[in-house]
């Protein structure tokens, strides 16, 4: 494909140069004649490009759809039935009160679920990506004991009475989710939930200090969410670590734990929840999600459908181009198509 | 004439009466030399195109300059008073600048503030700065401090380092310059002094080959008549010698012995290198000073052993330093159009910001009651004892802040980096243009020069070329061709002595002297010339060649050669025509050997003869002739006159030799119709009484203090009459190499070539034919009128004729080949006087646009500019003016692109031009190849930069819609900042410098391809809107594919941000890769390198533990969905663009497309093998 318009200059053929000649020294670079590959998209290339896309995309799309169909997902919205019926302000008052917030439900497993089964809680309409929110944290403080007082970015949840620093500070930690779930089968055998290893290993090892312990947390007049055990270092507080990975979108899931046994189709599971977290004030929904995972993650048909659409479209385009090239062929580089050859009164 | 007298008298009288008195009238305006050069009328028809600078008796230039400032006088406030040889007194009242120069801009201390100040003159930097400052306000801090300042500081730093380096080099050269030595008169002795210590008022002495350190008025020279020859190559690039004169009154003084005391009163320092006015009072006698009395800094003294002068301007006040500023800046058409689109983009930006801030307001309003306890908002701060609002100041203010914040986040919507990239790209393009060995001129050893760096891409859109003739189309290397001597035409067979005799030569003191240039001679004439005075024909020939050798201002200079026994005689002079005539005379055995102001020595057929030069009336543009009064060895006195035919036939005695005159006229006509420049020579013997009468009036006139020029002119006119015709000469001004081919190519490229010349009509037309500008099947319309009415009538007639002609042509040929038959308009300067700047302009424009060729003859410099303006005013088409002389300066500056030919005629045109080159034919590669490339590259780069920035901004914008309109960016702030600086900047610049849509060969073979630029195919509104639509689609794909893929998943913001970053960077780089036409290793390296660099940067950002996104990229990349998304985005985003591009390529292929296919597949049959052979790559 190399396009060489002129052979490299033979140094002997050049005229003898004067000492102070201004003649530009010849090089292929300065004459803009570097060897170059000049791909021209011939019909064959175009059609095969589209066909390759089709050939690659359709199988991936099918595989994704297949994977997604194999994911078993149980979604249970509980914020509505776990609160007294009535107006929104009733619910807000309820959630802010000291009343017992235990709440039960049973869910039926629709299909066989292979372990590990991931237990998520899903919040809707919760802007964990809100600018005020994401900025209100101190990564230094989380990592290093010596930066305990590094709370300038944590406002308005930086210190108690303006003097004693809060660890972990900031709105993100303060608003930590505090509903709890426990599962048992219908014959009251407890289903164990593993809460170890739900956060990223990198976070536990490097981002959260092993010697940083919560201090003055949730001591203010306004309780945002969970309390933390002050004797456990932050690096072991996996719920916090998960929560601190702020979600990208206002509808998000966070990993609560893993069930490491298979669930059979038709099994009913009793769930006992502590409905503590206030989403009523902003009409946010809370859902409990049990899901298996595929190589593509959770249940989501979008990628599969998108790939099939793109693959299909490219197939159609390939066919269209074939038709165009057959119906109206044009020899490449045919000078009769040049405008001044085509229209007689060119200029 | 009489008016001139009056003015000159007025100028000079007050000076004479009260030289020291400050009788103030009007202020002198220091005129720039450009203005002055525009005012010089058309003195173009004869050989010498310039007014001679060094007239001894009268200072034509200075007088004209004074006239132009009529009735003004230098009063004390505006004058500079220089006490000769008394620097202390001179500098007493005013401290004049010393001679130390400082081209360096900065010192160590002033560097930082001054450099910053200068850099912030650019709008782009101010925009950067404002955004950075906004970001520092705590309310608006979107990015961290470091991230927001980084791009600005990076650019500032790079520019500062570059400036510092350049300045260091200037410091170094200043130091060398300032420490050069010169001898200065101190305490009646000449002592060596450093240049920087020279002061105004001092007397300095320089010897041969010295560079003159400052502007000085000459007092005396080694020549008894006070002549000094200087070379001004450093000043204006003209390599021939110029003469300067010391005043006769100061000539005899010896500075060491005679205390020279006096007062020079001259104008304030100004840039006019061709003008100087002042008076010198020596021994109580006022003398007027003109430009021929001053030598300027940078000139070199030649052929004069020594010269002594008084320093009047020093250092930065010298004319050379005042002129050292750069070329005028123009703005390219593409950039002007681009700025319009940028305004549109700012409107988009404001719209986006408005949308975000309004939505944010609505959101806040709807959630107002909840804000206090919303976990993610928390309006109040409870941590302090007193509960107060935290960072919340009401919905109104929040809207306002949101608006400003969104401006900060979306700032790169306005592609400020584009301006910086464009500058870099232009530098790169200029590099390639300068280095192009096909635009290197061997004869003048000059490369192409880019003097203006911001209009490269205009070269690709030229529609009109306005060309000078002499020196531009022709070589301005005059060659003596034919002679008509006493009615006999010698235009027979040419012989040149190459090989057999190596030209004419003589022996002097055992050395062989030969003229530097060889001339082809007519055999018959050569034989006859050797017969000497014996025959009648021989006598006429003797007279003719003696006249040619004597009647001129040429100075012979004897140059050594490598062979010690051989010397070359180099004829130096200001007029190439005169040089040609003297060389011709030498070839026929009349060799001018020596010229002083009092005599000349001519070697006539081997016999050395001395003639006394009793007087000389130099050429001026009113008389259009010159004469010399020669005392022959036999004691007779003759006046020899040489001039343009129309001025000569009036003063030739018609009563004798009428048939000879008629015959000569016939010969002249035939010479000029083949494009030769003609001169007529006449001669008369002066009787003793007449000579004495002339001599006394000549002496009176030449010593007159005032009105010298006019007096001398009167004396000349009285003398120059009743001449006997001697003959006429024909000089060929040869066409430059490749001119007809170049014009043919330009015409094929649909560029209209207009020739504007000062020559007469027949010469212009014949050059038109020989340069293929005019062809025999063209219909010629000639307009020669001398009144407004007749101009109007001929214009109207011509308009009707041209319309009828074009219409009939269309019918006849059915429009089959419009090229062969077309209309050519030939118009002369007199008609233009009545047409330009009147209502007839419009008609001329209409007529001209019907014509394929326009030829304007006998036009004055200002008219040239007027014609360019005529087109510029009425069309949007780009104009290019090309010329080589001072008379083209106005035209070059008026046109959109000005090109100077760095040839024979000095450098004024080059100094005023945007580009300079050695030959006219280089216009073809310049426009068709480089212009095309530059335009196509720049157009693509602008569109791509719009796209690149907008797609990123839109991705940010879509995300903002999902964050409660709070301008959170999932993409890290560092990536946002680095995006346009590092991730995507290099490939676009590299591609814009290196990519070639077509090979040089195709572009040269098919000049029609140039039309792409003229039709603005690479950059127009349609393309802009298509790009915007494409941008919108691509941003939607980039943003929404991951959004839906990760909807309701546990993805965190940083991971998704990394995915978006990589997706968008991959996309824009692959988009660029898709449009690259020629892949060299550099393009590969820059595009794939950018992608790799981006990945590395993203990884680096994600391994910093204190950033929220720690390790996100690794967690992300371990999931299959990331890779699937990344692949899907690229394909989905690019399929529409690819598909549309392919459909267009197949169904409506552009010329460029077809040519590049042909280029690749080498359809040599259709291209025509012979056509390729015609344009072989020149090695």
């Amino acid at each position: 494909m190399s396009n060489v318009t002129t052979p490299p200059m033979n140094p002997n053929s050049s005229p003898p140069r004067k000492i102070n000649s201004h003649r530009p020294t010849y090089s292929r670079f300065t004459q803009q004649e570097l060897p170059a590959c000049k791909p021209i998209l011939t019909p064959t290339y175009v059609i095969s490009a589209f066909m390759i896309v089709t050939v690659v995309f359709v199988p991936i799309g099918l595989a994704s759809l297949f994977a997604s169909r194999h994911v078993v997902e149980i979604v249970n919205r509980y914020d509505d039935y776990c609160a007294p019926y009535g107006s929104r302000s009733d619910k807000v008052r309820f959630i802010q009160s000291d009343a017992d917030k235990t709440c039960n439900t049973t869910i039926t497993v629709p299909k066989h679920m292979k372990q590990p089964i991931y237990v998520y809680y899903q919040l809707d309409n919760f802007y964990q990506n809100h600018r005020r929110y994401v900025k209100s944290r101190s990564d230094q403080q989380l990592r290093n004991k010596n930066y305990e007082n590094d709370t300038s970015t944590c406002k308005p949840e930086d210190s108690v009475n303006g003097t004693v620093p809060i660890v972990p500070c900031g709105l993100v930690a303060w608003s930590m989710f505090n509903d709890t779930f426990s599962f048992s089968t219908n014959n009251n055998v407890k289903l164990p939930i593993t809460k170890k290893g739900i956060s990223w290993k990198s976070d536990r090892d490097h981002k959260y200090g092993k010697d940083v312990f919560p201090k003055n947390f949730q001591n203010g007049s306004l309780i945002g969410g969970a309390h933390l055990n002050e004797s456990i270092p932050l690096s072991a507080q996996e719920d916090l670590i998960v929560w601190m990975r702020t979600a990208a979108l206002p509808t998000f899931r966070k990993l609560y734990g893993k069930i490491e046994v298979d669930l059979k189709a038709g099994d009913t599971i009793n769930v006992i929840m502590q409905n503590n977290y206030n989403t009523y004030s902003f009409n946010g929904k809370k859902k409990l999600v049990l899901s298996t995972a595929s190589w593509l993650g959770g249940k989501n048909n979008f990628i599969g459908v998108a790939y099939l659409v793109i693959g299909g479209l490219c197939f159609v385009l390939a066919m269209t181009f074939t038709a165009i090239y057959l119906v109206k062929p044009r020899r490449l580089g045919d000078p009769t198509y040049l405008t001044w050859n085509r229209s007689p009164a060119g200029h | 004439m009489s008016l001139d007298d009056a003015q000159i008298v007025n100028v000079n009288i007050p000076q004479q009466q009260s030289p020291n008195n400050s009788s103030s009238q009007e202020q002198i305006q220091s005129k720039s030399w450009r203005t002055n050069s525009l005012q010089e009328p058309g003195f173009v028809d004869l050989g010498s195109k310039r007014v001679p600078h060094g007239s001894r008796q009268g200072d034509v230039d200075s007088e004209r300059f004074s006239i132009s400032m009529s009735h003004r006088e230098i009063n004390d406030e505006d004058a500079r008073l220089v006490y000769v040889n008394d620097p202390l007194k001179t500098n007493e009242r005013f401290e004049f600048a010393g001679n130390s120069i400082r081209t360096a801009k900065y010192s160590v201390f002033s560097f930082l503030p001054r450099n910053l100040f200068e850099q912030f003159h650019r709008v782009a930097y101010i925009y950067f700065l404002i955004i950075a400052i906004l970001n520092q306000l705590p309310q608006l801090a979107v990015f961290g401090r470091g991230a927001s300042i980084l791009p600005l500081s990076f650019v500032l730093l790079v520019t500062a380092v570059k400036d510092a380096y350049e300045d260091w080099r200037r410091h170094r050269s200043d130091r060398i310059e300032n420490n050069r030595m010169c001898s200065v008169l101190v305490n009646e002795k000449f002592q060596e002094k450093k240049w920087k210590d020279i002061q105004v008022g001092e007397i300095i002495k320089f010897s041969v080959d010295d560079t003159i350190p400052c502007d000085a008025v000459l007092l005396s020279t080694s020549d008894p008549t006070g002549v000094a020859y200087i070379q001004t190559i450093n000043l204006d690039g003209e390599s021939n010698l110029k003469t300067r004169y010391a005043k006769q009154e100061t000539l005899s003084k010896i500075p060491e012995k005679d205390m020279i005391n006096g007062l020079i009163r001259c104008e304030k320092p100004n840039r006019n290198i061709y003008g100087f006015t002042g008076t010198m009072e020596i021994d109580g006698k006022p003398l007027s000073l003109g430009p021929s009395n001053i030598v300027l800094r940078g000139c070199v003294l030649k052929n004069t052993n020594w010269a002594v002068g008084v320093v009047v301007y020093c250092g930065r006040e010298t004319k050379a330093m005042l002129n050292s500023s750069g070329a005028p800046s123009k703005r390219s058409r593409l950039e002007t159009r681009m700025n319009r689109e940028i305004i549109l983009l700012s409107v988009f930006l404001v719209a986006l910001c408005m949308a975000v801030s309004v939505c944010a307001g609505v959101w806040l309003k709807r959630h107002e009651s909840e804000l206090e306890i919303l976990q993610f908002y928390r309006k109040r701060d409870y941590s302090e004892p007193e509960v107060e609002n935290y960072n919340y100041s009401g919905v109104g203010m929040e809207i306002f802040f949101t608006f400003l914040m969104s401006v900060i986040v979306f700032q790169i919507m306005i592609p400020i980096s584009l301006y910086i990239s464009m500058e870099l790209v232009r530098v790169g393009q200029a590099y390639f243009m300068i280095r192009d060995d096909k635009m290197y001129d061997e004869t003048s050893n000059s490369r192409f020069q880019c003097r203006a760096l911001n209009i490269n891409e205009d070269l690709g859109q030229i529609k009109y070329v306005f060309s000078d003739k002499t020196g531009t189309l022709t070589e301005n290397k005059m060659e003596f061709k034919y002679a008509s001597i006493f009615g006999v035409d010698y235009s027979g067979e040419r012989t040149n002595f190459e090989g057999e005799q190596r030209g004419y030569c003589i022996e002097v003191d055992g050395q062989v002297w030969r003229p530097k240039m060889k001339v082809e001679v007519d055999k018959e004439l050569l034989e006859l010339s050797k017969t000497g005075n014996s025959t009648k024909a021989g006598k006429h020939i003797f007279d003719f060649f003696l006249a040619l050798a004597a009647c001129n201002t040429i100075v012979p200079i004897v140059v050594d050669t490598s062979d010690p026994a051989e010397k070359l005689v180099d004829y130096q002079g200001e007029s190439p025509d005169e040089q040609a005539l003297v060389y011709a005379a030498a070839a026929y055995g009349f060799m001018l050997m020596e010229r002083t102001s009092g005599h000349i020595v001519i070697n006539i057929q081997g016999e050395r003869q001395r003639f006394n030069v009793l007087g000389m009336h130099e050429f001026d543009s009113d008389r259009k002739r010159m004469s010399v009064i020669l005392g022959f060895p036999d004691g007779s006195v003759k006046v020899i006159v040489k001039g343009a035919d129309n001025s000569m036939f009036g003063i030739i005695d018609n009563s004798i030799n009428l048939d000879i005159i008629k015959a000569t006229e016939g010969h002249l006509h035939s010479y000029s119709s083949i494009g030769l420049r003609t001169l007529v020579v006449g001669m008369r013997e002066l009787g003793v009484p007449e000579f004495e009468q002339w001599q006394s009036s000549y002496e009176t006139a030449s010593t007159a203090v005032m009105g010298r020029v006019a007096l001398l002119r009167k004396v000349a006119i009285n003398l120059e009459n009743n001449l006997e015709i001697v003959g006429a000469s024909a000089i060929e001004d040869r066409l430059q190499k490749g001119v007809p081919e170049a014009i043919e190519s330009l015409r094929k490229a649909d560029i209209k070539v207009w020739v504007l010349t000062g020559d007469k009509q027949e010469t212009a037309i014949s050059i038109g034919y020989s340069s293929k500008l005019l062809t025999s099947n063209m219909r010629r319309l000639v307009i020669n009128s001398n009144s407004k009415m007749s101009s109007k009538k001929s214009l109207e007639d011509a308009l009707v004729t041209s319309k009828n002609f074009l219409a009939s042509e269309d019918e006849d040929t059915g429009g089959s080949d419009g090229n062969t038959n077309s209309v050519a308009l030939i118009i002369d300067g007199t008609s233009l006087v009545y047409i330009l700047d009147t209502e007839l302009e419009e008609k001329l424009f209409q007529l001209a646009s019907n014509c394929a060729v326009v030829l304007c003859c006998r036009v004055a410099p200002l008219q040239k500019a007027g014609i360019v303006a005529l087109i510029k005013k009425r069309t949007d088409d780009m104009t290019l003016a090309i010329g080589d002389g001072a008379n083209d300066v106005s035209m070059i500056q008026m046109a959109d692109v000005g090109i100077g030919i760095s040839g024979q005629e000095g450098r004024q045109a080059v100094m005023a031009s945007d580009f300079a080159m050695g030959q006219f034919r280089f216009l073809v590669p310049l426009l068709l190849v480089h212009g095309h490339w530059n335009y196509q590259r720049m157009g693509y780069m602008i569109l791509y930069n719009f796209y690149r920035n907008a797609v990123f901004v839109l991705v940010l914008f879509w995300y903002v819609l999902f964050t409660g309109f709070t301008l959170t960016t999932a993409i890290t702030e560092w990536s946002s900042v680095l995006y346009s600086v590092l991730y995507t900047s290099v490939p676009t610049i590299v591609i814009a410098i290196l990519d070639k849509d077509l090979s040089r060969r195709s572009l040269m073979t098919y000049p029609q391809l140039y039309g792409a630029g003229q039709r603005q195919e690479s950059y127009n509104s349609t393309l802009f809107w298509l790009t915007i639509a494409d941008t919108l689609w691509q941003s939607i794909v980039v943003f929404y594919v991951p959004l839906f893929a990760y909807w309701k998943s546990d993805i965190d913001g940083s991971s998704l941000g990394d995915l978006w970053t990589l997706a968008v960077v991959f996309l824009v780089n692959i988009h660029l890769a898709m449009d690259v036409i020629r892949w060299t290793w550099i393009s590969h390296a820059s595009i794939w390198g950018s992608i790799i660099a981006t990945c590395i940067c993203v990884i680096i950002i994600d391994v910093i533990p204190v950033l929220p996104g720690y390790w996100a990229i690794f967690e992300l990349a371990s999931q299959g969905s990331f890779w699937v998304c990344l692949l899907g985005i690229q394909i989905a985003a690019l399929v529409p663009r690819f598909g549309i591009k392919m459909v267009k390529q197949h169904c409506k292929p552009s010329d460029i497309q077809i040519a590049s296919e042909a280029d690749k597949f080498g359809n040599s049959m259709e291209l025509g093998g012979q056509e390729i052979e015609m344009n072989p790559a020149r090695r």
Side-chain angles (χ1 to χ4, degrees), chain B residues 300-475:
Chain B
V300 180
L301 192 69
K302 292 275 182 192
N303 279 49
T304 314
N305 285 334
W306 53 262
V308 171
V310 186
V311 179
V312 284
Y313 304 123
C314 265
R316 65 185 147 82
E317 290 171 344
T318 56
K319 290 176 186 291
M321 296 307 293
L322 288 170
N323 267 301
S324 60
S325 65
S329 76
K330 292 174 181 174
R331 179 173 278 181
S332 84
R333 175 70 49 93
L334 199 58
E335 198 175 328
T336 319
R337 290 201 51 125
M338 180 190 92
N339 286 337
R340 222 171 51 197
E341 257 69 87
I342 289 209
I343 291 173
L344 219 56
L345 286 176
S346 345
V347 173
F348 290 164
L349 174 66
V350 172
L352 285 185
C353 297
M354 293 286 277
V356 170
S357 53
V358 167
C359 289
V362 171
W363 192 90
L364 282 176
K365 204 80 197 157
R366 279 180 54 198
H367 295 262
E368 206 168 13
S369 57
E370 308 154 11
L371 292 181
E372 276 188 35
I373 50 167
L374 268 186
Q375 285 94 331
F376 52 85
Y377 198 93
R378 267 293 292 276
K379 191 166 119 188
R380 281 167 192 278
D381 185 356
Y382 293 93
S383 63
E384 307 287 324
E386 255 170 74
V387 176
E388 51 193 21
N389 276 356
Y390 162 68
N391 224 348
Y392 180 81
S393 27
V395 175
M397 280 313 273
E398 288 296 310
I399 291 178
F400 178 65
F401 286 143
T402 309
F403 182 83
L404 289 183
M405 278 158 73
S406 45
V407 173
I408 298 174
V409 174
F410 302 150
Q411 55 174 297
I412 61 163
M413 187 76 178
I414 316 277
I416 289 302
S417 56
L418 176 57
Y419 287 100
I420 297 154
S421 314
M422 279 169 84
E423 273 176 39
L424 290 174
V425 166
R426 285 180 184 135
V427 171
Q429 292 175 340
Y431 172 84
F432 283 124
M433 288 196 277
I434 293 166
R435 293 297 175 117
D436 189 346
D437 71 353
K438 285 168 198 71
M439 293 204 290
Y440 163 77
D441 182 27
E442 204 126 14
T443 49
S444 61
N445 189 21
S446 58
R447 291 182 185 186
F448 182 79
Q449 289 176 51
C450 276
R451 297 175 44 83
L453 260 186
N454 38 5
I455 54 171
N456 289 351
E457 57 274 14
D458 277 354
L459 293 172
Q461 297 186 281
I462 301 297
K463 200 79 188 176
Y464 287 90
V465 167
F466 299 93
S467 171
D468 176 37
K469 187 187 79 68
T470 312
T472 306
L473 295 179
T474 62
E475 282 183 341

Side-chain angles (χ1 to χ4, degrees), chain B residues 779-798:
Chain B
R779 175 72 178 266
R780 271 158 55 184
L781 299 174
V782 182
I783 297 182
N784 290 325
S785 328
N786 42 22
S787 76
K788 192 166 175 181
M789 284 315 291
S790 62
S791 316
K792 189 174 176 192
K793 193 171 173 309
S794 30
L795 260 183
E796 278 163 359
D797 290 350

Side-chain angles (χ1 to χ4, degrees), chain B residues 489-547:
Chain B
D489 178 20
Y490 296 98
S491 51
E493 189 191 341
R494 310 275 90 198
T495 329
N496 90 37
F497 284 94
E498 204 88 57
E500 86 184 68
Q501 225 182 321
R502 299 188 57 213
Y504 181 80
C505 58
I506 53 166
E507 271 194 38
V508 180
D509 306 332
Q511 285 176 326
V512 177
W513 288 29
R514 68 173 81 250
K516 196 175 167 201
M517 263 182 23
K518 289 176 201 78
V519 184
E520 294 178 346
V521 293
D522 184 288
K523 250 186 188 160
E524 184 196 352
L525 186 56
L526 188 68
E527 291 303 315
L528 283 171
S529 68
K530 283 184 179 151
T531 60
N533 270 341
S534 52
T535 63
K536 204 167 177 223
K539 177 156 178 12
H540 291 305
I541 290 165
F542 179 86
D543 284 348
F544 180 75
F545 285 116
L546 182 66

